[in-house]
Amino acid sequence: MEQLANQITALKEEIAAWNGGDAEAFRIKYLGTKGIVKNIMGEMKNVAPENKKAAGQLLNEFKIFTEAKHESLLQVAEEQSTAAASSIDFTLPGDNIPLGSRHPISLVKNKIISIFQRLGFAVAEGPEIEDDFHNFSALNLPENHPARDMQDTFYISQNPDWLLRTHTSSVQVREMEKGKLPIRIICPGRVYRNETISARAHCFFHQVEGLYIAENVSFADLKQTLYFFVQEMFGSTVKIRFRPSYFPFTEPSAEMDISCLICGGSGCNVCKHTGWVEILGCGMVHPNVLENCGIDSNKYTGFAFGMGIERITMLKYQIKDLRLFSENDVRFLKQFTSAV
Ligand code: PHE
């Protein structure tokens, strides 16, 4: 009996000291079906008959004490939740969550794609990690050819045959290999070059390259396609000119310039006082390239072109430093929310 009384005294102290806010945890521990109160009630059967009455009173009183504590915990919890609810003022204006905007490179890329889609070009994509064949050899750039220096890149150390593609011409090779002709595709994507980062060069940038292969495709088709593109992109007053150039995968090859958008051709800093700015490389697909990809070069001809999206974007928006595109500064990026 004395032991029971001591036990109850200790428990009451423990309960009085409970100040955790969790009324439910309290109920489970003390008042639940496997709780302490129920458990200690079971002690009655061990109490000597002459003590039963006193023990009954003691236990009953303990039960009431515990229930009262539970009640008070419930009350505290309720008060707290009403206090929290009333501290919210539903009439205040909500927090402004700013919406993001498309990156200027994506805006211009989408614009380029939509212009060529209207001419019947489909979009083709391929891997950024390429093998030597698709990036170089198939494009008439055999190993040790000096023209590879034009496009130095990063190699994957596990396998010397793997590299980061230097242009999306590799995607064109993959499409030609499929052997389904005619081919009329544009290949947008990220490309890599081993260049020192500056305002005009970066170790990665974005390209859209194009390829059209069918019977009787001529340089005149190339010119007209690109002329349509620049007019849609930069406006109907823009002029174009072609300068002879060299690419291993095209013959003849050319560089295309547009009349300077700033000075309209009279000469300024942007066009270095020439009146013209270069925007892309192009040419007629070299017969070796067609043959490397299993296409009969006596039957089919084709043109190809490739442009840097950064360059087009810089011209379109008068951006002077290429590094701005990858710095993720929202003050720069949010200036391009409107559609191009
Ligand atoms: N692949 C060339 C480059 O990245 C661009 C190009 C494509 C030139 C097709 C001619 C024809 O520099």
Side-chain angles (χ1 to χ4, degrees):
M1 174 67 195
E2 202 185 310
Q3 204 192 344
L4 185 65
N6 288 343
Q7 214 180 335
I8 287 178
T9 312
L11 280 169
K12 277 169 115 175
E13 275 170 27
E14 185 184 297
I15 288 170
W18 175 291
N19 56 11
D22 192 348
E24 182 57 8
F26 180 89
R27 189 192 64 76
I28 292 168
K29 179 165 180 193
Y30 293 101
L31 298 164
T33 41
K34 289 184 183 140
I36 288 173
V37 171
K38 191 126 197 171
N39 199 21
I40 205 160
M41 290 288 187
E43 294 291 318
M44 268 303 266
K45 60 180 181 300
N46 304 325
V47 174
E50 66 274 22
N51 289 334
K52 277 222 194 289
K53 192 170 170 217
Q57 266 177 358
L58 205 59
L59 286 169
N60 216 22
E61 196 243 334
F62 174 60
K63 188 172 172 223
I64 291 167
F65 175 85
T66 313
E67 284 169 349
K69 174 76 180 183
H70 181 232
E71 246 346 280
S72 77
L73 287 174
L74 285 176
Q75 212 170 331
V76 170
E78 196 178 311
E79 277 162 17
Q80 278 173 354
S81 78
T82 45
S86 63
S87 70
I88 298 170
D89 182 350
F90 293 103
T91 63
L92 283 174
D95 285 342
N96 190 13
I97 301 169
L99 282 180
S101 58
R102 280 215 191 283
H103 195 283
I105 296 293
S106 301
L107 288 173
V108 171
K109 179 184 84 176
N110 291 345
K111 172 88 178 171
I112 297 172
I113 290 173
S114 80
I115 295 170
F116 282 105
Q117 274 177 336
R118 273 185 280 147
L119 291 173
F121 284 77
V123 173
E125 287 180 314
E128 289 180 23
I129 300 178
E130 261 301 359
D131 52 40
D132 186 282
F133 177 77
H134 290 94
N135 195 82
F136 288 130
S137 308
L139 289 158
N140 209 22
L141 269 157
E143 221 180 313
N144 303 322
H145 193 289
R148 283 199 182 197
D149 282 353
M150 290 159 70
Q151 299 187 5
D152 188 19
T153 186
F154 302 97
Y155 291 83
I156 312 286
S157 51
Q158 280 127 303
N159 186 338
D161 193 43
W162 292 346
L163 46 89
L164 298 187
R165 67 180 181 193
T166 58
H167 48 189
T168 57
S169 305
S170 53
V171 183
Q172 304 183 349
V173 173
R174 289 180 179 276
E175 287 298 314
M176 287 189 273
E177 279 176 328
K178 289 181 188 164
K180 267 178 64 186
L181 290 149
I183 295 171
R184 189 156 44 188
I185 51 164
I186 47 166
C187 313
R190 199 196 321 250
V191 300
Y192 302 83
R193 300 218 182 150
N194 188 0
E195 303 246 10
T196 309
I197 298 170
S198 72
R200 293 173 59 85
H202 210 300
C203 58
F204 65 84
F205 60 100
H206 300 78
Q207 275 193 329
V208 175
E209 294 215 349
L211 176 71
Y212 178 35
I213 299 178
E215 287 179 49
N216 301 319
V217 176
S218 73
F219 205 97
D221 298 319
L222 168 64
K223 265 182 144 174
Q224 190 53 41
T225 303
L226 293 178
Y227 190 41
F228 175 81
F229 164 68
V230 294
Q231 290 206 313
E232 291 295 305
M233 193 73 204
F234 297 109
S236 57
T237 54
V238 74
K239 295 199 239 353
I240 54 169
R241 79 171 182 188
F242 288 81
R243 281 178 293 109
S245 185
Y246 170 74
F247 297 103
F249 28 85
T250 45
E251 183 61 38
S253 302
E255 220 107 29
M256 191 178 89
D257 300 341
I258 58 170
S259 51
C260 180
L261 302 164
I262 305 298
C263 62
S266 57
C268 69
N269 280 342
V270 172
C271 60
K272 299 197 198 84
H273 301 281
T274 62
W276 297 95
V277 271
E278 179 196 322
I279 66 158
L280 55 80
C282 58
M284 301 305 293
V285 181
H286 197 293
N288 288 357
V289 174
L290 295 175
E291 297 295 337
N292 287 344
C293 300
I295 295 173
D296 182 354
S297 63
N298 293 317
K299 185 163 175 210
Y300 292 100
T301 51
F303 68 69
F305 57 87
M307 66 185 105
I309 305 178
E310 276 81 351
R311 183 154 184 79
I312 305 283
T313 312
M314 287 167 94
L315 284 171
K316 189 149 181 81
Y317 292 119
Q318 308 307 320
I319 298 163
K320 297 213 161 53
D321 194 324
L322 190 69
R323 289 167 291 198
L324 287 165
F325 290 128
S326 49
E327 278 170 357
N328 265 352
D329 184 337
V330 281
R331 288 169 305 176
F332 169 73
L333 295 173
K334 74 178 177 196
Q335 296 174 45
F336 306 94
T337 43
S338 61
V340 229

